Amino acid sequence: MAPDCEVDGAVAAPISTVGIRGKLTHDAPLAKLVWFKSGGNADWLFEPADLDDLVLFLERLDGSLPVMALGLGSNLIVRDGGVPGVVIKLGKAFAKIEVLEDNVLVCGAGAHGILVASTARDAGIAGMEFMRGIPGTVGGFVRMNGGAYGREVSDVLVDCDVILPDGSLVTLPAVDLQYTYRHSVLPEGAVVVGARFKGVPGDPAVIGAEMDRIAEAREASQPLRTKTGGSTFKNPPGKKAWELVDAAGCRGLQMGGAQVSEKHTNFLINMGHATSADIEGLGEEVKRRVYANSGVELEWEIQRVGRP
């Protein structure tokens, strides 16, 4: 018989943990799990053993606490006051990828974009190369309509498996997500657990060359070796966010321990010991200066969660 849930922290769990096999941690530090390396703790962090374990956990929770899924933590500011409710961290059990007929990949929500792209390459499936250029996991891509280099998830998604806040597991066709730029209508608290992507037949050598081109373009233009969070602001229609930020004189602008990247002005950087308030405050100041300079209201692309 499998062991019951391991509960870290001298506090009663919010639900009965009998039969739950994952790990539940009270007051769990999140800074180490996000790219910015800043922010507070989760009230609870749950790392499910597998899909059945996660379904059981969310059924028992039954919407009584807020739920947030955490992928690679690349597109995220966790505020300094921490995250209320339960943060779900999907591990290796959710990172599997299977190749089906008709150029379809079945991907767990915890699979990294680079793994999706390389699996598709090895199978001679084109159309997924852009995922090589997005730091994140399938779950985040599906929720946010992740994209890069002229392509986005809505171009290749067939459907996705989602656990709704009441614990019910449903499969939603791509059309139901009503994708727009970096947005879907998935409800708060819904956890993406898997997705099916469909590409087209391709030559692995050509696919690999395109992936290499994307990797080199990222390396050349983005501050990859820093504590950053990816693209900060959405590109306004017909414009590029980084150009607006640059034109407003924000390149290198600092607030506390946070800085606008000198290398790519749509990236914010934790220079060492920035608080999340430093990073978010810097972003808001950039927005203010861009609006004053160009009249364009930038929208955050990075998700900001938790208590200030």
Side-chain angles (χ1 to χ4, degrees), residues 1 13 28 52 72 97 104 113 126 130 187 252 261 297-298:
M1 183 175 161
D52 291 342
L72 275 189
I97 299 178
V104 172
F130 72 96
S261 169
E297 181 82 47
L298 288 177

Side-chain angles (χ1 to χ4, degrees), residues 279-291:
I279 298 165
E280 187 172 5
L282 177 60
E284 290 294 335
E285 176 61 15
V286 168
K287 283 183 64 179
R288 189 190 67 74
R289 293 192 185 196
V290 167
Y291 186 75

Side-chain angles (χ1 to χ4, degrees), residues 151-165:
R151 302 270 286 167
E152 54 192 14
V153 162
S154 58
D155 297 325
V156 294
L157 183 70
V158 177
D159 56 28
C160 60
D161 300 323
V162 179
I163 306 179
L164 297 175

Side-chain angles (χ1 to χ4, degrees), residues 226-305:
T226 62
K227 299 174 188 170
T228 185
S231 295
T232 305
F233 302 109
K234 299 176 182 178
N235 288 322
K239 300 182 187 299
K240 288 197 165 20
W242 78 264
E243 290 177 346
L244 293 165
V245 174
D246 211 15
C250 297
R251 186 180 292 266
L253 184 68
Q254 293 184 27
M255 181 177 289
Q259 181 185 39
V260 176
S261 169
E262 302 261 9
K263 188 172 186 179
H264 191 311
T265 51
N266 199 25
F267 283 67
L268 302 181
I269 292 171
N270 177 352
M271 292 158 54
H273 301 288
T275 64
S276 290
D278 290 342
I279 298 165
E280 187 172 5
L282 177 60
E284 290 294 335
E285 176 61 15
V286 168
K287 283 183 64 179
R288 189 190 67 74
R289 293 192 185 196
V290 167
Y291 186 75
N293 182 64
S294 65
V296 176
E297 181 82 47
L298 288 177
E299 282 186 57
W300 284 92
E301 182 168 329
I302 286 178
Q303 301 295 292
R304 293 152 298 136
V305 300

